[in-house]
Amino acid sequence: SQTIHQWPATLVQPVGSPLSLECTVEGTSNPNLYWYRQAAGRGLQLLFYSVGIGQISSEVPQNLSASRPQDRQFILSSKKLLLSDSGFYLCAWRSRLDRGPNEQFFGPGTRLTVL
Amino acid sequence: AQSVAQPEDQVNVAEGNPLTVKCTYSVSGNPYLFWYVQYPNRGLQFLLKYITGDNLVKGSYGFEAEFNKSQTSFHLKKPSALVSDSALYFCAVSAHASGGSYIPTFGRGTSLIVHP
């Protein structure tokens, strides 16, 4: 069966510090991968998505970046965090094996607080 | 462009009563529609989806949803609510996938509160 992991689960960082959040998927190959941010207002904001290794599409210009160094690994980074980067970060994957539209599977999330 | 509206920020229902969480959508072409549930401090969990076929879709935990093309709606329903159903519910829509990418649009979410 497929599983998705995110770490760390919780993170408190000072303004201006770097960030690295990691997401890995097990049990599938060549998935589509996504990073979302969920602010206190609870809507989901798509940050990045990837259809393959090294292929990253950015949905919102900001001080965050993403990388996909391996097929099932997706990393969210920042060189300098802002207060507005606080939120709940969710990684998700979707299978590309079936021809039809498939649901997304979400990780447990990382709660980031920037002070 | 595609969009999803969840007109209610919060729905309150008594345990044992039927519940409905509303969702309307706008998309070019045939829509693919999804419902997810999120418990506090957790990721979203898939409940059900409509791709084609029967307008009434059955999903996990006794939930079902009715696709209405003329009203562009995909309301989530359950005949008898449980206190444990209290959570945040998201509706999502996507047009036909192309090029391997798949970018659904999510609603803002509806908080369902089931009272004992």
Side-chain angles (χ1 to χ4, degrees), chain A residues 42, chain B residues 8-21 63 81-89 110-116:
Chain A
R42 80 182 173 210
Chain B
E8 303 154 316
D9 282 344
Q10 184 172 301
V11 170
N12 291 277
V13 64
E15 188 174 31
N17 283 0
L19 69 88
T20 299
V21 182
F63 284 94
L82 300 172
V83 172
S84 57
D85 293 329
S86 299
L88 191 56
Y89 290 80
T110 298
S111 177
L112 173 67
I113 300 175
V114 181
H115 302 277

Side-chain angles (χ1 to χ4, degrees), chain A residues 45-57:
Chain A
Q45 179 186 29
L46 177 64
L47 302 174
F48 302 95
Y49 68 93
S50 171
V51 299
I53 295 174
Q55 300 178 64
I56 309 294
S57 296

Side-chain angles (χ1 to χ4, degrees), chain B residues 6-103:
Chain B
Q6 293 182 242
E8 303 154 316
D9 282 344
Q10 184 172 301
V11 170
N12 291 277
V13 64
E15 188 174 31
N17 283 0
L19 69 88
T20 299
V21 182
K22 296 180 180 177
C23 171
T24 59
Y25 66 90
S26 174
V27 68
S28 299
N30 293 323
Y32 301 132
L33 296 156
F34 304 80
W35 276 103
Y36 294 85
V37 60
Q38 184 182 31
Y39 297 98
N41 297 310
R42 304 287 296 275
L44 279 67
Q45 297 177 33
F46 168 73
L47 279 179
L48 51 80
K49 65 182 177 184
Y50 172 83
I51 305 301
T52 187
D54 289 342
N55 290 340
L56 186 63
V57 179
K58 294 188 182 296
S60 306
Y61 312 118
F63 284 94
E64 57 189 29
E66 187 169 8
F67 171 65
N68 187 316
K69 188 172 183 178
S70 63
Q71 296 186 6
T72 62
S73 67
F74 188 55
H75 300 331
L76 182 69
K77 300 180 180 183
K78 188 174 182 181
S80 179
L82 300 172
V83 172
S84 57
D85 293 329
S86 299
L88 191 56
Y89 290 80
F90 289 94
C91 180
V93 67
S94 178
H96 183 73
S98 61
S101 64
Y102 171 72
I103 310 300

